[in-house]
């Protein structure tokens, strides 16, 4: 609360705001160092075919190992977005994920896909297009094996740069996934106005299916609608057997969640892949 003792009613002292600002400043500087020292890591969570259980690929999820307990990506990515650090971090993610996929293509299976989260801020920077193309060329992977995950917040402000970026990326052959669908005000128009191939149902939808019959039917109707519109539909946050059976009953295409596989560092993922392919 602002103190009301200024001559003109303007307050210069707002402790809560100060703390938050300092906190952000500290995180920003720390992130800058982590990036410079190459200390971020990617974890990889497997994604499976809902029909036959086959491994299809992975989603790359960034980690800040030294501060993992306090700073999950949900906390530090927004700070990086506000300070434009996200461009450098995002570029590192793209290069690292594609490099890793190239290795797994050679060692295990050239059909494996890699899903990469792209911040709305990155989509507003034209450099993203050349960065993605360059990372493909450097690692000799096909764009068709790369899924770029974007959130609806990127689409809400009718931004011509975002529209342009998505069209070009789609033309290059990248697959575009709309992440966290069903969480905010999920506009059906967005699904048709942008070149979207895949829709990921937000993990909160999994939980609500257990809550009431009505919510269950919303889930079913949404799944049916997305299938009718020919999207590949992915369930994220699948944690229980009963959630998995529901996803299969509603004919979702792909499954991701703790029940099927946790996000793992590269070394653990290597072991996991060796088991999958019995190498
Ligand atoms: P997201 O893209 O929706 O990723 C899914 C999140 O759900 C991940 O959290 C994952 O660890 C978690 N998750 C997976 N399975 C389950 C489950 O069964 N139950 C529950 N409760 N959670 C599950 P994480 O890794 O903490 O990432 C959080 C968010 O941070 C991501 O949400 C994404 O929006 C953002 N993020 C992560 N990595 C990156 C990145 O490299 N770049 C950008 N721009 N954003 C990232
Ligand atoms: Mg994602
Ligand atoms: Mg998601
Ligand atoms: Mg999310």
């Amino acid at each position: 609360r602002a103190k009301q003792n200024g001559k003109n009613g303007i307050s210069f002292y707002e402790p809560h705001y100060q703390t938050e600002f300092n906190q952000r400043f500290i995180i920003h500087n720390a992130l800058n160092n982590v990036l410079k020292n190459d200390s971020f890591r990617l974890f990889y969570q497997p994604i499976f075919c809902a029909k036959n259980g086959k491994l299809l690929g992975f989603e790359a999820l960034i980690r800040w190992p030294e501060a993992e307990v306090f700073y999950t990506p949900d906390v530090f990515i927004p700070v990086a977005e506000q300070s434009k650090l996200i461009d450098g971090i995002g570029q590192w993610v793209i290069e690292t994920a594609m490099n890793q996929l190239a290795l797994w293509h050679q060692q295990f299976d050239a059909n494996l896909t890699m899903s990469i989260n792209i911040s709305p801020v990155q989509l507003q920077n034209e450099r993203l297009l050349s960065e993605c193309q360059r990372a493909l060329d450097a690692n000799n992977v096909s764009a068709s094996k790369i899924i770029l995950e974007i959130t609806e917040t990127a689409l809400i402000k009718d931004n011509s740069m975002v529209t342009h970026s998505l069209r070009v990326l789609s033309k290059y052959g990248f697959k575009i996934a709309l992440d966290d669908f069903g969480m905010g005000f999920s506009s059906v128009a967005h699904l048709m106005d942008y070149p979207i191939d895949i829709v990921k149902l937000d993990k909160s939808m999994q939980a609500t299916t257990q809550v009431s019959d009505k919510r269950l039917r919303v889930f079913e109707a949404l799944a049916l609608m997305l299938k009718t519109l020919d999207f590949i539909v992915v369930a994220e946050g699948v944690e229980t057997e009963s959630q998995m059976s529901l996803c299969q009953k509603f004919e979702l295409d792909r499954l991701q969640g703790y029940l099927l596989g946790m996000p793992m560092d590269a070394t653990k993922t290597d072991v996991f892949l060796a088991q999958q392919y019995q190498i």
Side-chain angles (χ1 to χ4, degrees):
R1 281 273 156 220
K3 275 194 190 166
Q4 298 293 314
N5 57 0
K7 245 194 260 171
N8 46 12
I10 295 173
S11 147
F12 297 94
Y13 180 62
E14 238 179 310
H16 175 69
Y17 174 80
Q18 274 297 331
T19 320
E20 205 179 289
F21 177 83
N22 287 339
Q23 175 87 344
R24 209 171 284 155
F25 184 74
I26 291 164
I27 299 179
H28 167 87
N29 285 341
L31 290 174
N32 203 3
N33 283 326
V34 178
L35 183 61
K36 268 197 266 166
N37 300 334
D38 199 27
S39 298
F40 283 114
R41 289 292 173 268
L42 288 184
F43 272 42
Y44 302 94
Q45 187 178 30
I47 300 174
F48 299 90
C49 172
K51 283 171 204 95
N52 60 21
K54 195 172 165 271
L55 174 71
L56 299 176
F58 297 91
E59 177 174 3
L61 296 160
I62 195 168
R63 293 292 180 266
W64 176 3
E66 297 111 49
E68 204 175 354
V69 187
F70 307 106
Y71 298 118
T72 61
D74 278 327
V75 175
F76 70 78
I77 289 289
V79 176
E81 285 174 337
Q82 277 181 346
S83 63
K84 296 283 174 195
L85 254 182
I86 191 66
D87 285 320
I89 296 175
Q91 187 183 353
W92 177 86
V93 171
I94 290 166
E95 285 167 1
T96 308
M98 288 203 202
N99 189 255
Q100 184 62 74
L101 185 66
L103 292 174
W104 288 335
H105 278 180
Q106 287 162 21
Q107 289 172 35
F108 299 106
D109 181 351
N111 284 316
L112 289 171
T113 61
M114 182 68 79
S115 299
I116 302 175
N117 291 286
I118 304 288
S119 150
V121 179
Q122 286 173 274
L123 280 171
Q124 285 174 37
N125 190 336
E126 189 143 32
R127 255 182 35 202
L128 176 71
L129 304 176
S130 51
E131 277 170 19
C132 286
Q133 192 60 57
R134 208 173 338 107
L136 276 187
D137 295 343
N139 294 295
N140 204 15
V141 279
S142 157
S144 66
K145 300 291 176 262
I146 305 294
I147 299 165
L148 302 175
E149 298 196 357
I150 60 161
T151 51
E152 219 167 9
T153 45
L155 311 178
I156 280 169
K157 290 177 238 133
D158 185 33
N159 181 310
S160 59
M161 188 58 218
V162 170
T163 309
H164 173 71
S165 296
L166 288 176
R167 292 224 177 102
V168 172
L169 290 167
S170 181
K171 227 166 77 189
Y172 286 172
F174 291 99
K175 301 292 173 223
I176 311 290
L178 187 58
D179 207 348
D180 301 345
F181 191 78
M183 197 179 117
F185 181 75
S186 302
S187 166
V188 179
H190 290 152
L191 293 172
M192 285 171 290
D193 293 345
Y194 295 93
I196 292 163
D197 308 286
I198 299 167
V199 177
K200 298 187 77 171
L201 295 175
D202 190 71
K203 52 179 176 280
S204 64
M205 303 231 27
Q206 294 302 321
T208 59
T209 55
Q210 256 76 18
V211 174
S212 73
D213 186 50
K214 194 153 199 171
R215 282 172 188 265
L216 180 63
R217 278 181 283 142
V218 169
F219 183 65
E220 181 174 19
L222 205 54
L224 183 64
M225 179 193 76
L226 293 169
K227 296 286 297 173
T228 307
L229 293 170
D230 281 335
F231 292 108
I232 293 172
V233 189
V234 185
E236 61 170 31
V238 179
E239 292 180 357
T240 65
E241 296 280 350
S242 71
Q243 289 170 347
M244 183 170 76
S245 335
L246 275 177
C247 292
Q248 286 165 331
K249 185 175 156 206
F250 299 156
E251 297 188 334
L252 301 199
D253 299 290
R254 299 177 185 175
L255 304 174
Q256 178 180 4
Y258 295 161
L259 177 73
L260 301 133
M262 301 290 288
M264 303 167 279
D265 65 20
T267 311
K268 276 211 177 125
T269 312
D270 276 329
V271 174
F272 168 83
L273 278 163
Q275 282 165 354
Q276 285 278 318
Y277 292 98
Q278 292 169 354
I279 290 170

